[in-house]
Structure formats: C-alpha cells, structure tokens
Amino acid sequence: MQVAILMIHVAIAIALVVLILLQQGKGAEAGAAFGGGASQTVFGSRGSGGFLSKFTGVLAAAFFATSLALAWYATQASQAPEAGIPDSRLVEQQQGIPTLDDEGRDVDNTAPVLEESSD
C-alpha cells in the first residue's frame, strides 16, 4: 500500500510541475493585444487560467493528502517491535556467539613473522 501511495505521490508531483509551467504569468495578458488572444478560445472565453488554476489546486490538495499518508505510514513502521535495537533478553538468549567481553585464551593472537633472507 505504501508503494502505491508513493507512486501516486510522484505522479502528482510531476503533474504539478507540468501544470505550473504551463500556466501563464500575470504579464501574459499584454500579448493578447498583439494577436495572441485567439489561442485562448480552446479553453473558453476566460482562457486556460481558470481551468489550470483549479486543477492545480486539486493536485496540490492530493499532494498534501499523499504526503500525510506517507508520513503516517512512516510513523507506523517505526513503532514496529522488530525495528531498532533488540531487547537485552533476546541478546542474552543467543549462546555460543563470541562477544568482545569473552576471554580468548584459545585464540592465537600472534602475527606471522617474515624470515629475513641471508643474501
């Protein structure tokens, strides 16, 4: 479920970037006086501003919702008992595993010595 929400989240983020880049700035109305007004008839008499702005708002709300869902999943995953440092009782149950506190009397800690050649 978390992977599906993450994929939707990334798709919404890409769509938001594309929609924001498609929108015209506030100074774009000056171009309509020089013949650019005919291109806005595809989206109606008000142009694409109203549609793109509303759709950007819907995508922003969806992005916010998926962000909250992912944050909730992250907090639920961190509360799992198997995550993090194991309990001391579990560590004590594991017998036969050498630790740093064990005395290594049977271990040979001497380094090998290279013999010098008498050339």
Side-chain angles (χ1 to χ4, degrees):
M1 185 69 176
Q2 184 179 4
V3 175
I5 293 175
L6 183 62
M7 290 172 55
I8 293 169
H9 187 73
V10 170
I12 290 172
I14 292 170
L16 271 173
V17 169
V18 169
L19 276 178
I20 289 172
L21 290 176
L22 281 176
Q23 292 182 18
Q24 296 178 353
K26 290 186 178 184
E29 288 91 23
F34 300 106
S39 64
Q40 294 180 354
T41 58
V42 174
F43 293 104
S45 62
R46 292 187 51 184
S48 64
F51 170 74
L52 290 179
S53 297
K54 289 179 184 177
F55 194 57
T56 303
V58 168
L59 283 181
F63 185 82
F64 184 73
T66 56
S67 297
L68 287 176
L70 287 172
W72 182 77
Y73 274 115
T75 57
Q76 295 302 316
S78 68
Q79 294 176 1
E82 61 268 354
I85 300 173
D87 190 41
S88 62
R89 291 173 286 173
L90 178 66
V91 174
E92 290 172 1
Q93 288 177 358
Q94 296 176 349
Q95 299 296 328
I97 299 174
T99 62
L100 293 176
D101 297 334
D102 292 341
E103 294 182 23
R105 293 184 184 140
D106 58 342
V107 179
D108 183 21
N109 288 332
T110 60
V113 178
L114 293 175
E115 296 180 11
E116 294 183 26
S117 62
S118 60
D119 290 331

